Amino acid sequence: MGTRAGGRRTGPKCIAIVGPFASGKTTLLEAILARTGAIPRQNPVSSGSTVSDHSPEARAHAMSVEATFATTEFMGEQLTFVDCPGSIEFSFEAEPVLAACDVAVVVAEADEKKIPALQLIMRKLDDLGVPRILFLNKVDKAIAGVRDTLKMLQPASSVPLLLRQIPLRKDSVVIGSIDLALERAYIYREYAESEVADIPGDDKARELEARFSMLETLADHDDQLMEQLLEEIEPPKDEIFDDLAADLREGIVTPVLIGTAEKGNGVLRLLKAIRHDAPDVEATRKRLGAPDGNQTVVQVMKTIHTAHGGKLSVSRVLSGQVADAAELFLSSGETAKVSGIYKMLGKDQSKLAIAKTGDTVALGKLDNVKTGETLSLAKGGIKPLATLTPPQPVFAFALRPKERKDEVKMSAAIQRLAEEDPSLSLSHNQDSAETVLSGHGEMHLRVVRERLEGKNQIPVEGHTPAVPYRETIRKQAQQRGRHKKQSGGHGQFGDVVIEIKPLPRGSGFQFSDTITGGVVPKTYIQSVETGIRDYLKSGPLGFPVVDVAVNLSDGSYHAVDSSDMAFQMAAKLAMKEGMAACSPVLLEPVMKVEIVTPSEATSKIIALIPQRRGQILGYDARPDWPGWDVVEATMPQAEIGDLIIELRSATAGVASYRAVFDHMAELTGRLADEAMNTSGKAA
C-alpha cells in the first residue's frame, strides 16, 4: 500500500465551490445536497428556489451575489460546501472563504471564452496555496473530446490538469464515464447513483491510453511508479490512489472529474474523491501558519446580518472547540462573546451546543468581529492568520436618501453592508459634499442599492460622483481692494494692493508680502492671507483655485477702524476683481491608468482609449500571466466613471484596471462649459 498520502483524512471538511460565471456552481451544490440527503430534491437554478438563491438580488439577477454555506453529511463524515460567486464583481467574497477551506472544487466547462476567468480563479488558488479538483461540467453538451478540452484549459492552470475520468458514449451521446483509476465504467442515471458496469470492449483501447497518460503524470513525482511504467509492470491500485491523494494535497496536480451537474451525473464520484483524497483541517491550519491544535483558533469567513437573528459570523474552527457563551479574543486583544452556534444550510440554521475542530458554523452576535478576523481562547488573542486586501474599486456612485430623515438610517445600513462585503468602500467628498460608494463594477453597486431599498427599506438616489475640477490663471494682474464701512461708532477699514501671478502646474498656492514702511501693519498681514485663502476655495469659474502666487505689495490702514475682518474682506475684494483679469482656466484631473486584459482583447482596449480622450503610453505582456497584457495610458478622470463597463464588455467580464492621479490639465471649449454648467458657478 502507498504511503505518500498517509491515508484518508477524516473529520469535518470545508470545500469551496468556485468557477467562472454560469459554469454551474450553484447547480452542482444543489446536486450534492440532494445526493447526500440534505434537501429532498435537486432544484434547477431557473426555479429560483435553490439553496444559494435565498436573497432577492440573487433571484432577480439569476446569479450568485454572495457566498452561500451548506453543511451536509456523506458516508458518515461532515462536509461544508461554500458556493462562491463566479462574477469578477463579487469575486472578493471567495477570498476569506478560500483562506480557511481545505480544498476547492473548480467548476469549468468546454468554453474557450471562459478561460481568462478560469485563469483568474486558478491564480488566486495558487496565491493562497489551496489544493483543487476540477469538475468538468456539462460533458453531455461538449462538442470537443475531453482530452482536447483539457489541452484548451491547461493554460489556465499552473499545474498539470490530470484527467481521472473519460466520457462513455453511445451513438455520440454521453451515457456515463470510465474511471481511469478504478478501471470501471459508470452508466449515468438522472438524479440517481450511476450504475456500475464493465468497460465496453470498443472503449478499452481508449481507456488504456488515457490511463497510461494519467500514470505518466503521477510518475513525475513517484520514482517507483516511473520504474514500473518503464518495465511495463502494472502498478497496484492502492499505490495509484495514494499518489492521486498525495499529489492533490501537495497541490502539484489538479485532478479532473467529469459530469453534468444539472442531471446529478458524476456527483457521487466527486464526493468520494473529496472524502478519500482531499486534505483536512490540519493541512489548512499548517498552510495558514496557525498554532498547533492544542488551543482553540477560529477563522471568520463571512459576516451576515439577518433580519431576526442579528449578526452572524460564519467561521471555521481550525483547532479546539467553541461552546455557546464562550468568550473569544480578537487579534487586537478585545473580547467577543458567542451568543448561539448554528449549522448552515443556505438561509436555514440549526442550533448546536458546541463546534469542534474542522466544523464550519455561524457564531451569533460577535458585534466587534469582522470578516477575515482570527479569534482564539488565548488571552490577548493571536496574530491574524489571513490578510484581506480588497482590490482597488473600479466603479462608484454618489448616494443620498430620497428623504433627508433617512440619512442616519442609510449610513448605518451601508455600514452593515460593508461588514458583509469588505470590498465595498465609503468616502465623503468634501468638495462636493457627496457620500461616495465604491465597488467592483456596475452590478456590484446595483445589488448594494437594491439591498438598501429592499432589505433596509431606504429609497435612495444615485448619480455619477462629481469630478474634482480645479481652476488656475494664465496671466498676472495687480489689483487694489478696499473695504470701507461707516455705521456709527467704530467703522471698518482695510486697504490692500496685491499682485496675482500664475505658477507652474502642481505648485499649489504661495503667499508673500513686500510691505515697507508699515503701510499694512504686520498684525494684519496674516488676515490678508486668510482672506485670500478663503477666496481661493471658489474662484471665478466656481472651483478651487490652484497654482497661484499672491504678493501683498501695498495698502493702508486706519488706526481706529482697521481690524482683522476688514483686511480679510479687502483681500477677498481684491482677489475677486483681480482674478477675473487673469484669464482663468479650468483644470481637470488626468489619471494614469493600468489596464489588465486578455491578449486577444488588447486591440479592442487600445481602440477604446482614444475614444475617452485617453493617450496610450504603451502595452506589454503581463509578467507571469501567459495570455494577458498590460496596457498603460493616461485618461481624464471624467472619462473613467463607467470605463469598467466597456472594459468588461470587451473581455467577457474579466478585464480590470488601476488608476492613480497623474496631473492636472487645462480643459476648454464645450467640455469646460459642460463642467461649469454642472458643477461650477454656472450651475
Side-chain angles (χ1 to χ4, degrees):
M1 181 176 286
T3 58
R4 283 183 61 213
R8 183 167 65 84
R9 298 291 185 257
T10 60
K13 291 178 182 174
C14 183
I15 305 99
I17 302 178
V18 296
F21 173 67
S23 56
K25 299 176 296 300
T26 299
T27 302
L28 178 60
L29 176 60
E30 282 288 303
I32 287 170
L33 296 177
R35 185 58 50 86
T36 57
I39 57 176
R41 65 182 179 278
Q42 179 177 340
N43 294 303
V45 170
S46 58
S47 71
S49 57
T50 64
V51 168
S52 293
D53 286 337
H54 59 270
S55 75
E57 299 78 31
R59 291 193 295 272
H61 301 293
M63 63 187 295
S64 298
V65 297
E66 60 185 329
T68 302
F69 295 75
T71 298
T72 186
E73 284 196 6
F74 177 66
M75 297 180 70
E77 292 188 14
Q78 182 176 289
L79 304 175
T80 297
F81 291 89
V82 192
D83 180 14
C84 299
S87 167
I88 191 172
E89 298 194 23
F90 302 95
S91 61
F92 191 73
E93 281 277 317
E95 193 108 348
V97 171
L98 291 170
C101 73
D102 303 320
V103 68
V105 173
V106 182
V107 184
E109 59 185 301
D111 187 345
E112 194 171 13
K113 293 178 182 177
K114 293 185 179 181
I115 291 177
L118 180 62
Q119 191 174 4
L120 289 174
I121 292 162
M122 292 294 210
R123 178 57 65 102
K124 178 55 65 179
L125 295 173
D126 285 344
D127 291 345
L128 296 173
V130 179
R132 78 290 317 241
I133 297 170
L134 191 142
F135 182 76
L136 187 57
N137 195 20
K138 308 177 187 178
V139 292
D140 58 331
K141 298 176 182 176
I143 298 172
V146 69
R147 282 184 282 178
D148 288 337
T149 298
L150 250 61
K151 287 179 184 176
M152 179 180 72
L153 299 179
Q154 183 60 64
S157 176
S158 62
V159 299
L161 298 177
L162 180 71
L163 192 61
R164 280 196 58 171
Q165 298 171 316
I166 58 173
L168 183 62
R169 289 185 171 87
K170 184 177 182 180
D171 299 329
S172 300
V173 176
V174 175
I175 62 167
S177 67
I178 298 173
D179 191 293
L180 302 177
L182 287 169
E183 293 191 284
R184 191 179 296 163
Y186 294 88
I187 309 300
Y188 291 152
R189 295 188 297 173
E190 284 194 17
Y191 311 114
E193 186 175 339
S194 298
E195 180 184 333
V196 181
D198 293 329
I199 299 172
D202 293 346
D203 293 293
K204 192 64 182 174
R206 190 167 61 95
E207 182 269 335
L208 288 173
E209 182 185 352
R211 185 171 190 271
F212 186 76
S213 177
M214 177 189 77
L215 295 177
E216 276 189 314
T217 301
L218 293 175
D220 289 340
H221 306 285
D222 185 338
D223 293 339
Q224 183 178 335
L225 178 58
M226 179 66 77
E227 289 178 13
Q228 290 170 336
L229 294 181
L230 291 173
E231 296 174 13
E232 298 185 356
I233 298 172
E234 178 63 25
K237 280 191 173 62
D238 57 2
E239 292 185 8
I240 294 172
F241 281 112
D242 182 68
D243 277 341
L244 286 167
D247 288 0
L248 166 64
R249 293 171 195 172
E250 293 172 25
I252 52 181
V253 300
T254 297
V256 178
L257 302 175
I258 66 173
T260 299
E262 189 177 23
K263 299 175 181 178
N265 298 150
V267 171
L268 186 60
R269 300 311 309 162
L270 174 63
L271 283 166
K272 288 190 174 181
I274 291 169
R275 182 177 185 268
H276 292 289
D277 300 346
D280 63 356
V281 70
E282 182 181 351
T284 302
R285 195 165 57 239
K286 288 179 180 176
R287 170 165 57 83
L288 292 173
D292 60 46
N294 295 326
Q295 61 175 293
T296 296
V297 177
V298 176
Q299 187 68 21
V300 181
M301 306 165 80
K302 182 167 176 61
T303 301
I304 302 170
H305 287 274
T306 64
H308 305 294
K311 180 178 175 180
L312 295 176
S313 300
V314 186
S315 308
R316 184 86 192 278
V317 182
L318 297 176
S319 59
Q321 61 183 31
V322 178
D324 197 1
E327 191 173 61
L328 298 171
F329 286 87
L330 286 70
S331 300
S332 63
E334 295 177 82
T335 60
K337 189 175 183 179
V338 176
S339 180
I341 302 174
Y342 306 92
K343 183 171 77 170
M344 304 285 290
L345 185 64
K347 66 179 179 180
D348 299 322
Q349 302 124 31
S350 52
K351 196 159 187 179
L352 303 171
I354 197 165
K356 299 178 181 178
T357 300
D359 286 348
T360 303
V361 294
L363 303 177
K365 300 182 179 177
L366 303 181
D367 292 334
N368 54 340
V369 172
K370 297 179 181 178
T371 299
E373 178 65 78
T374 302
L375 311 174
S376 72
L377 286 179
K379 194 168 184 180
I382 63 171
K383 69 176 183 178
L385 297 178
T387 302
L388 288 183
T389 308
Q392 186 187 58
V394 294
F395 193 77
F397 60 62
L399 204 62
R400 67 184 176 203
K402 288 184 179 179
E403 299 184 33
R404 290 198 65 179
K405 67 181 179 63
D406 287 333
E407 284 182 357
V408 174
K409 189 178 174 184
M410 186 188 80
S411 179
I414 291 176
Q415 214 167 10
R416 288 193 299 271
L417 290 173
E419 273 196 273
E420 294 183 332
D421 181 0
S423 66
L424 282 175
S425 62
L426 190 68
S427 60
H428 185 73
N429 186 327
Q430 291 188 337
D431 285 350
S432 60
E434 293 174 331
T435 297
V436 179
L437 190 66
S438 303
H440 302 294
E442 188 267 342
M443 179 60 74
H444 185 203
L445 295 192
R446 185 192 299 181
V447 167
V448 172
R449 183 169 175 174
E450 288 170 358
R451 284 177 172 165
L452 283 171
E453 296 188 323
K455 183 178 178 180
N456 295 278
Q457 298 292 300
I458 305 169
V460 295
E461 296 174 334
H463 60 271
T464 303
V467 176
Y469 292 108
R470 296 290 184 264
E471 61 179 276
T472 191
I473 55 174
R474 290 172 170 163
K475 299 177 181 177
Q476 64 183 54
Q478 185 180 75
Q479 182 67 45
R480 177 181 290 275
R482 176 176 288 184
H483 176 69
K484 184 177 180 181
K485 193 172 182 181
Q486 192 70 41
S487 57
H490 286 308
Q492 297 179 32
F493 182 85
D495 176 33
V496 298
V497 177
I498 58 172
E499 299 163 347
I500 310 170
K501 296 180 181 179
L503 288 175
R505 197 75 67 242
S507 300
F509 168 64
Q510 295 176 10
F511 175 78
S512 59
D513 76 273
T514 52
I515 294 297
T516 57
V519 291
V520 176
K522 287 185 178 181
T523 53
Y524 297 138
I525 291 176
Q526 180 64 49
S527 303
V528 173
E529 182 179 354
T530 298
I532 291 169
R533 286 186 179 275
D534 194 39
Y535 171 82
L536 292 178
K537 292 176 183 177
S538 180
L541 306 181
F543 300 94
V545 181
V546 295
D547 304 334
V548 167
V550 179
N551 179 63
L552 173 62
S553 60
D554 201 357
S556 61
Y557 75 103
H558 189 279
V560 176
D561 292 344
S562 288
S563 65
D564 287 337
M565 184 56 67
F567 272 96
Q568 286 186 37
M569 295 299 294
K572 288 181 184 180
L573 287 170
M575 288 295 293
K576 183 177 181 181
E577 295 176 15
M579 284 286 291
C582 289
S583 188
V585 63
L586 194 64
L587 295 176
E588 68 171 343
V590 176
M591 315 297 280
K592 185 173 183 181
V593 182
E594 185 181 271
I595 301 168
V596 291
T597 173
S599 302
E600 61 191 21
T602 300
S603 59
K604 293 180 186 176
I605 303 304
I606 289 174
L608 71 83
I609 289 172
Q611 297 170 14
R612 292 176 173 265
R613 297 190 290 131
Q615 187 170 13
I616 297 165
L617 301 178
Y619 70 95
D620 205 346
R622 189 179 185 186
D624 301 321
W625 280 74
W628 285 71
D629 288 335
V630 179
V631 180
E632 292 188 344
T634 55
M635 188 178 292
Q637 185 176 336
E639 301 288 344
I640 289 178
D642 62 350
L643 172 64
I644 193 63
I645 297 175
E646 197 166 2
L647 291 179
R648 298 247 167 94
S649 176
T651 61
V654 296
S656 195
Y657 75 87
R658 290 180 58 84
V660 294
F661 173 77
D662 192 70
H663 65 278
M664 301 295 288
E666 289 188 8
L667 182 65
T668 57
R670 177 182 58 83
L671 292 174
D673 292 340
E674 289 177 1
M676 286 185 283
N677 288 333
T678 302
S679 308
K681 286 206 169 161

